[in-house]
Amino acid sequence: MKPLAQLCMFLLFSTVFALATLVPANLQCRCLFGDACWPIATQFSDLASQVSLPLIQPIPPASPCYRSLNSSTNCNDVHLNWADGNWRANQSGAMQSTNFETFIWPNGTIDACYFNTSLNVPCTQGSVPIIGVNAQTPSDVQAAVKFASAHNLRLIVKNTGHDYLGRSTAKDSFLIWIHNMKNITFHETFVPTGAPPTEVYNKTLTLGAGVQWYEAYDAAHSHNVVIVGGLSAGGSVGSSGGWFQGGGHSALSPSFGLGVDNVLELTVVTSTGEHLTANSHIHSDLFWALRGGGGGTYGIVTSVTYRTHPSTPITATFLSTTIISNVTGPSPILTKLFTELVRVTPNLSDSGWGGYTLFYPGTPGTSLALQILYITPNLNVSNSVANSSIQSFYDYAQQLATNSSMETGGLLNITAAVIIELDSFYAWETQYFRSSGQVGGNIELGSRLLPRNVIENDYEKVAKMLLPLPGLNYYLVAGGAVSRVNSSSTGLNPAWRKALVHTVFGGTWQEGASAQEIMQVGNTIKAGIANLHALAPDSGAYFNEASKFEPDPLNTFFGSHYKALKDIKLKYDPYELFIVSKGVGSEDWDEDLNCKV
């Protein structure tokens, strides 16, 4: 690999023919940087004349800390903001999970630009795209898409880089960066294009492709409404791309449905360069597919119009515990506590609760943290019913803590157990989710949607199977309103409509780990996935928080909708320009998604 500076100079000041391979471009393969087919400088200049801003040359986010490389970003900024999701979103070359910025060759060699410069590894481009368009308008997106189609480029679409399958980056590729398409429009009344005038929706929000959830929540709050959206540190997840196209879960989903259930209209640029409006009246098949059929697959969404809901007071609850254990694996007291939580999960769902349980089983002698962060807007049940359902679990936890000891399986300490009334969802979101963190490391995930009947039939088995999983999270983001939507109404995996819980686990590794060490983490994930499949064999997984190691990904992520989704993809993407890891149509391409198979 050439150092990053050499790559940039090569791109800017020479034609590719000087250093290109002599092998003719294979029409069955994408054109990559370094291939003879890669556009020359004058062709990129022509593209630059058609778009709003100069072309960008994405760089790995750690590159300013390497003295041989020049960058407008200061190394101190890198150190201060490495784990800040919004800072990363503002870097065209950054992903939220750093492993997707690297590239592992078949022989195990790793190309990367590490944060830890003391590793004495040269900073290289890794999997960061070479050049791209900083799109400001739909016409910018159209020009970039037409250019990528004309030159058969390996195309990448990126907003924030929140992606656990690496769909927002690829080695030697061409990038369309939609992060700065930030238009937000509030409509007192909204009639979808092509709909009869009687089909009126009150108080909707149209969000541009680059709007992040913290921006959308601020806009909704300013109009005294609530929008169903994602929750992450800093609110940095994008609102109008892969989040809803994969389904889009939220703590509000049990009350108001998933993201896909709240979308009223979309605008999208297809591989032919057309800018289409899609809703239930026009291009309804595309509208169906984009709501759950996976991001980066059918075109580039440039805006989304969401229904909103009245802002009302909510009940919020927060439980924080620590557990000290001297046994290997999950301690008996942790097992009892979590088993009870699984047992009461259906009742919590029926009482309107939605939210997140976060913990890690740990190792002997470790202080374990378990946190519950749930809310309910109290739409269909009274405050007293909701409070009673969660209070009974807290009473059980307090009894466990009172009777706990190292001799009986560990010490349980409850550091907080509160049930409070808040003015709005916005008050809860700004209090608990606006700090930075959560990103900037290497991680691989595994996950499964757990159907209600699986939990009700054998909650002890569910708890026993889940607890040993590393980095376990247990999300109460299904059931309720999610289960009341007809599974055929959107392209979303029907498994969501039977699910009660989305459970996620993961493995991490340090910078500089060898390919073999990274593979060992992958083997742990594979084993966990096998156990989850055995627990709920007829279910599926959430495409946005899932594993590249899924043995049957197309069925797992899309279920019985897969054939219809693929037919729609081929209709609107005849050039097969939009191919992403484990997405619809990916089975027709090699592992790197560069050549047809």
Side-chain angles (χ1 to χ4, degrees):
M1 281 289 297
K2 298 177 178 64
L4 180 64
Q6 289 176 306
L7 287 173
C8 292
M9 290 178 64
F10 170 70
L11 178 63
L12 290 173
F13 301 114
S14 68
T15 70
V16 79
F17 298 113
L19 296 174
T21 61
L22 299 178
V23 180
N26 183 348
L27 295 179
Q28 291 296 305
C29 294
R30 296 296 184 216
C31 183
L32 305 176
F33 175 73
D35 290 343
C37 55
W38 187 258
I40 61 175
T42 55
Q43 291 169 316
F44 279 116
S45 295
D46 182 58
L47 171 63
S49 70
Q50 301 174 47
V51 296
S52 302
L53 294 177
L55 301 186
I56 54 175
Q57 300 131 37
I59 58 173
S63 59
C65 296
Y66 290 77
R67 292 183 179 179
S68 61
L69 304 175
N70 295 318
S71 171
S72 59
T73 305
N74 188 290
C75 184
N76 289 335
D77 292 336
V78 175
H79 283 270
L80 287 172
N81 298 301
W82 190 254
D84 186 325
N86 285 306
W87 179 84
R88 287 188 158 270
N90 289 330
Q91 315 298 314
S92 63
M95 295 288 287
Q96 303 291 336
S97 301
T98 54
N99 46 302
F100 296 113
E101 298 165 5
T102 67
F103 183 81
I104 303 178
W105 293 91
N107 66 1
T109 300
I110 299 177
D111 278 352
C113 188
Y114 291 133
F115 176 72
N116 182 3
T117 57
S118 67
L119 293 172
N120 294 318
V121 176
C123 175
T124 55
Q125 192 79 357
S127 287
V128 176
I130 295 296
I131 192 170
V133 169
N134 181 0
Q136 309 292 301
T137 66
S139 61
D140 288 346
V141 176
Q142 288 176 283
V145 165
K146 290 176 182 178
F147 184 84
S149 293
H151 295 281
N152 191 33
L153 302 182
R154 175 76 162 91
L155 176 63
I156 290 297
V157 183
K158 175 177 175 285
N159 176 13
T160 66
H162 274 282
D163 188 357
Y164 294 107
L165 288 171
R167 296 169 292 179
S168 301
T169 193
K171 182 177 175 56
D172 296 329
S173 63
F174 173 74
L175 173 68
I176 301 179
W177 193 34
I178 57 175
H179 179 61
N180 293 307
M181 298 177 67
K182 297 285 192 178
N183 289 341
I184 299 177
T185 304
F186 178 76
H187 311 271
E188 282 290 347
T189 58
F190 177 78
V191 178
T193 304
T198 54
E199 186 178 327
V200 180
Y201 299 90
N202 294 321
K203 300 183 184 301
T204 66
L205 275 173
T206 297
L207 307 177
V211 174
Q212 294 164 265
W213 277 119
Y214 78 92
E215 297 164 320
Y217 292 143
D218 288 349
H221 178 67
S222 71
H223 293 282
N224 197 35
V225 294
V226 171
I227 185 171
V228 175
L231 291 157
S232 63
S236 56
V237 170
S239 65
S240 304
W243 178 82
F244 88 85
Q245 289 176 60
H249 70 65
S250 169
L252 290 171
S253 290
S255 297
F256 300 123
L258 296 164
V260 293
D261 303 325
N262 287 275
V263 174
L264 299 174
E265 185 167 282
L266 306 159
T267 57
V268 56
V269 174
T270 67
S271 63
T272 60
E274 295 176 278
H275 190 214
L276 305 178
T277 296
N279 56 41
S280 58
H281 301 279
I282 56 174
H283 303 297
S284 58
D285 53 349
L286 181 60
F287 184 58
W288 181 86
L290 283 166
R291 290 177 298 145
T297 298
Y298 309 92
I300 302 177
V301 172
T302 56
S303 71
V304 182
T305 300
Y306 285 101
R307 73 174 79 236
T308 68
H309 306 271
S311 181
T312 62
I314 66 165
T315 302
T317 187
F318 178 69
L319 172 71
S320 178
T321 72
T322 59
I323 300 170
I324 300 177
S325 170
N326 59 2
V327 301
T328 301
S331 68
I333 196 165
L334 175 62
T335 300
K336 289 180 181 179
L337 182 62
F338 184 58
T339 300
E340 177 65 8
L341 177 63
V342 175
R343 186 187 74 82
V344 301
T345 293
N347 185 43
L348 293 177
S349 177
D350 293 343
S351 299
W353 293 103
Y356 314 98
T357 302
L358 315 169
F359 63 95
Y360 186 72
T363 57
T366 300
S367 178
L368 312 176
L370 182 150
Q371 292 187 342
I372 287 178
L373 197 59
Y374 288 174
I375 61 170
T376 175
N378 305 126
L379 296 175
N380 302 308
V381 294
S382 66
N383 283 359
S384 61
V385 170
N387 292 358
S388 175
S389 64
I390 198 72
Q391 187 62 55
S392 65
F393 174 70
Y394 287 177
D395 291 343
Y396 177 88
Q398 184 59 61
Q399 184 178 10
L400 272 184
T402 301
N403 298 325
S404 68
S405 68
M406 294 299 288
E407 290 74 22
T408 59
L411 290 171
L412 171 62
N413 179 38
I414 298 176
T415 56
V418 297
I419 304 172
I420 57 175
E421 300 295 317
L422 294 174
D423 290 341
S424 63
F425 167 80
Y426 185 76
W428 182 73
E429 187 271 333
T430 52
Q431 179 175 348
Y432 290 105
F433 292 94
R434 288 298 175 103
S435 60
S436 63
Q438 193 179 16
V439 299
N442 301 304
I443 189 168
E444 291 280 4
L445 294 186
S447 67
R448 198 72 175 167
L449 295 169
L450 298 182
R452 182 179 183 120
N453 68 327
V454 168
I455 293 172
E456 289 180 329
N457 291 344
D458 198 341
Y459 63 87
E460 291 179 327
K461 179 180 179 181
V462 171
K464 182 179 180 181
M465 293 285 277
L466 294 185
L467 270 177
L469 297 174
L472 178 65
N473 294 316
Y474 184 82
Y475 296 160
L476 183 53
V477 292
V482 176
S483 63
R484 292 192 288 270
V485 175
N486 190 308
S487 64
S488 64
S489 64
T490 70
L492 182 69
N493 187 345
W496 267 105
R497 306 308 179 182
K498 297 180 180 180
L500 198 59
V501 167
H502 162 51
T503 189
V504 192
F505 70 102
T508 63
W509 61 94
Q510 295 297 314
E511 274 194 331
S514 67
Q516 184 176 6
E517 291 170 320
I518 297 171
M519 186 183 301
Q520 289 172 352
V521 174
N523 290 336
T524 300
I525 301 299
K526 290 177 184 178
I529 289 172
N531 289 337
L532 288 179
H533 276 242
L535 183 63
D538 298 325
S539 189
Y542 177 40
F543 189 39
N544 288 344
E545 293 171 345
S547 175
K548 65 183 182 183
F549 302 116
E550 281 287 348
D552 185 13
L554 303 182
N555 180 61
T556 297
F557 297 148
F558 308 107
S560 58
H561 287 162
Y562 185 75
K563 184 181 183 303
L565 290 170
K566 188 169 184 181
D567 288 344
I568 294 168
K569 174 188 171 48
L570 294 177
K571 174 182 175 181
Y572 287 96
D573 181 19
Y575 301 146
E576 296 183 75
L577 188 64
F578 302 108
I579 303 293
V580 297
S581 177
K582 312 307 176 186
V584 173
S586 62
E587 75 276 19
D588 298 331
W589 295 76
D590 64 12
E591 185 177 353
D592 292 326
L593 304 181
N594 291 331
C595 294
K596 295 285 293 263
V597 294

